[in-house]
Amino acid sequence: MSHKNILITGGAGFIGNHVVRLFVNKYPECRIVCLDKLTYAGNLANLSDVEAKPNYAFVRADIADIDEMRRIIREYEIDGIIHLAAESHVDRSITDPLTFARTNVMGTLSLLQAAREYWESLPERYDGKLFYHISTDEVYGALPLSHPDGIPAPFATRASSGVSHEAYGDEFFTELTRYNPHSPYSAAKASSDHFVRAWHDTYGMPVVVTNCSNNYGPYQFPEKLIPLFINNIRHRRPLPVYGRGENVRDWLYVEDHARAIDTIFHHGKSGETYNIGGFNEWKNIDIVRLLVNTVDRLLGRPEGADLDLITYVTDRPGHDLRYAIDSRKLQSELGWEPSLQFEEGIEKTVRWYLDNQDWLDNVTSGDYQQYYARMYGNR
Ligand code: NAD
Ligand code: TYD
């Protein structure tokens, strides 16, 4: 399937900018239209290296504005959509749930409806079209820590120890796991996933849905665990670990996610769901220690000198205990594999944030929002 005009929503956000960069550079014959509202999480500085490319265009718009979605999809003759735009931070969803419903649910619905109207108006209808919806493993709820070996070691360790994934049975999220979201964020994402599948089943729209585990890497907004803590360690500020730091997340380097999106966009089967993850589970407290040791070493401080910044704070309400993705379907059917071991990815990530303190200062000061307000008007 070859797409000519690809719309990437949320392209100025953390994962989106990596996807836009990959597509703009890899597919010079395609026009890549990056659509973003530029909320606090969207930052055009993330895309400064691609903005002058002839196959790149940026449009500032709100996905919940259906008339704008209709206009943009028609004007750019969009034949492929990669939909990442969303409110993405669980803690914000607890204090401001309605914004999450508006963007993640109504925004996705507006985009689906606008795409449907345009594609159904064409002689070829849905032929050669694709709506690719990016979702999260958080829709599946939480897993227990009841692993036979305690908390599973990273994939490579387990593979070399000869323990088969079969042995873990339903202790991983598979594509068939029942949805059971707990936070307003994951409930809104779950709802949007259902709408995307309904557009496939009811109207025959070609869609794929992917559910990915936690991402880390450059350009992540420093409200999320890894960039927040790197910045705090650098400035010797407290590191607020929720609860006892026992919660487990399954971490994937963001460029590996972008490669998976490319693979699935081009080779995934319409109507299918693919889970994306690197079999890389870590307890929060172990990540925090790894971050402290890495930042200290790279800044020439005695390793571990800043461990006393760790501060245990009241737990997040409804805090999911463990996420763990089974991505064997994607690996065996489409041949995708994660490229980085976690320690290597963390080293790259810490170096990037330490080398890009200006980027961090800029997004934490809010200066960039004032810049966009001048450039595009304040919406
Ligand atoms: P992010 O918060 O960094 O970026 C979201 C982007 O969407 C921002 O650029 C923001 O300006 C834009 N946006 C928000 N509301 C909008 C609206 N109404 N209209 C247009 N644009 C709007 O998020 P992220 O971490 O890059 O996540 C991207 C997608 O991937 C989300 O759908 C998220 O649910 C999903 N996901 C994220 C992770 C992760 O670990 N970050 C893991 C799995 C899935
Ligand atoms: P986060 O990066 O917010 O991602 P998500 O909630 O989508 O998994 O958080 C990752 C884990 O780190 C999660 O278990 C909550 C925990 N956490 C803290 O302990 N302290 C913090 O300040 C933050 C932001 C997260």
Side-chain angles (χ1 to χ4, degrees):
M1 193 187 308
S2 76
H3 299 272
K4 285 275 157 282
N5 298 310
I6 301 169
L7 181 71
I8 302 182
T9 71
F14 164 48
I15 301 173
N17 83 81
H18 293 276
V19 179
V20 169
R21 182 173 300 101
L22 178 66
F23 274 65
V24 167
N25 290 325
K26 191 168 170 188
Y27 302 107
E29 72 285 7
C30 298
R31 178 159 57 176
I32 307 303
V33 181
C34 170
L35 184 158
D36 202 295
K37 184 180 174 182
L38 300 178
T39 67
Y40 77 95
N43 184 356
L44 281 185
N46 299 353
L47 289 163
S48 54
D49 57 327
V50 296
E51 67 187 6
K53 300 269 173 143
N55 64 334
Y56 171 77
F58 175 74
V59 194
R60 188 179 193 186
D62 182 342
I63 53 166
D65 181 343
I66 189 165
D67 290 331
E68 275 288 88
M69 293 308 103
R70 288 183 176 121
R71 183 187 66 74
I72 293 160
I73 289 173
R74 188 169 288 278
E75 183 178 323
Y76 288 95
E77 299 177 355
I78 295 299
D79 53 13
I81 297 177
I82 303 178
H83 175 38
L84 295 117
E87 290 290 339
S88 68
H89 189 44
V90 174
D91 293 327
R92 282 181 193 257
S93 82
I94 295 168
T95 52
D96 183 18
L98 298 195
T99 300
F100 281 67
R102 182 184 178 278
T103 289
N104 299 3
V105 184
M106 287 310 295
T108 301
L109 205 42
S110 302
L111 201 57
L112 280 167
Q113 183 65 2
R116 176 183 159 228
E117 287 171 8
Y118 174 57
W119 290 341
E120 288 188 356
S121 76
L122 301 173
E124 76 276 15
R125 289 175 62 87
Y126 289 118
D127 201 21
K129 311 294 186 295
L130 182 63
F131 190 106
Y132 179 170
H133 179 62
I134 308 294
S135 192
T136 164
D137 59 359
E138 305 193 21
V139 298
Y140 296 124
L143 293 164
L145 292 180
S146 63
H147 193 280
D149 304 336
I151 292 157
F155 179 52
T157 320
R158 274 190 292 140
S160 60
S161 71
V163 181
S164 125
H165 292 301
E166 250 69 48
Y168 300 116
D170 60 5
E171 292 187 41
F172 285 82
F173 297 135
T174 74
E175 289 81 1
L176 300 176
T177 301
R178 185 172 73 89
Y179 274 32
N180 187 20
H182 298 298
S183 72
Y185 163 64
S186 54
K189 290 295 291 186
S191 169
S192 66
D193 296 7
H194 292 316
F195 275 110
V196 173
R197 295 192 180 103
W199 255 240
H200 173 266
D201 295 349
T202 306
Y203 305 112
M205 181 182 283
V207 308
V208 285
V209 177
T210 56
N211 299 82
C212 188
S213 59
N214 284 60
N215 284 215
Y216 71 101
Y219 299 111
Q220 187 168 31
F221 195 82
E223 62 186 353
K224 305 277 170 67
L225 179 76
I226 289 181
L228 175 72
F229 278 32
I230 293 171
N231 202 28
N232 284 8
I233 299 163
R234 182 188 182 118
H235 295 291
R236 294 210 156 101
R237 294 185 197 127
L239 306 175
V241 174
Y242 300 159
R244 294 188 301 136
E246 297 286 330
N247 302 65
V248 172
R249 297 290 181 266
D250 184 357
W251 294 91
L252 183 67
Y253 192 66
V254 63
E255 288 179 4
D256 280 333
H257 187 189
R259 277 194 310 103
I261 290 171
D262 178 26
T263 302
I264 294 161
F265 182 74
H266 289 98
H267 305 291
K269 253 178 70 188
S270 172
E272 291 290 319
T273 297
Y274 299 90
N275 279 355
I276 309 174
F279 292 104
N280 178 47
E281 293 178 53
W282 283 73
K283 252 201 295 188
N284 289 343
I285 191 63
D286 292 338
I287 296 193
V288 174
R289 292 199 183 103
L290 178 64
L291 290 174
V292 170
N293 289 334
T294 310
V295 174
D296 281 349
R297 175 167 47 77
L298 293 177
L299 289 180
R301 299 176 185 168
E303 201 159 308
D306 291 317
L307 284 169
D308 60 359
L309 296 173
I310 294 173
T311 311
Y312 293 94
V313 298
T314 308
D315 209 353
R316 173 189 276 173
H319 196 176
D320 287 332
L321 188 56
R322 173 175 163 245
Y323 302 142
I325 277 281
D326 180 341
S327 59
R328 283 175 302 165
K329 174 175 172 183
L330 171 61
Q331 300 196 357
S332 64
E333 290 184 13
L334 302 183
W336 171 88
E337 290 218 337
S339 68
L340 278 186
Q341 288 291 320
F342 191 60
E343 286 83 349
E344 200 187 336
I346 283 292
E347 176 95 14
K348 270 177 84 156
T349 301
V350 171
R351 276 186 197 281
W352 189 87
Y353 286 99
L354 296 182
D355 290 347
N356 288 276
Q357 188 62 41
D358 287 356
W359 182 90
L360 273 172
D361 290 344
N362 195 25
V363 298
T364 46
S365 74
D367 284 351
Y368 73 109
Q369 287 294 330
Q370 286 160 30
Y371 169 72
Y372 296 133
R374 280 198 301 277
M375 209 165 140
Y376 294 103
N378 220 344
R379 291 197 189 202

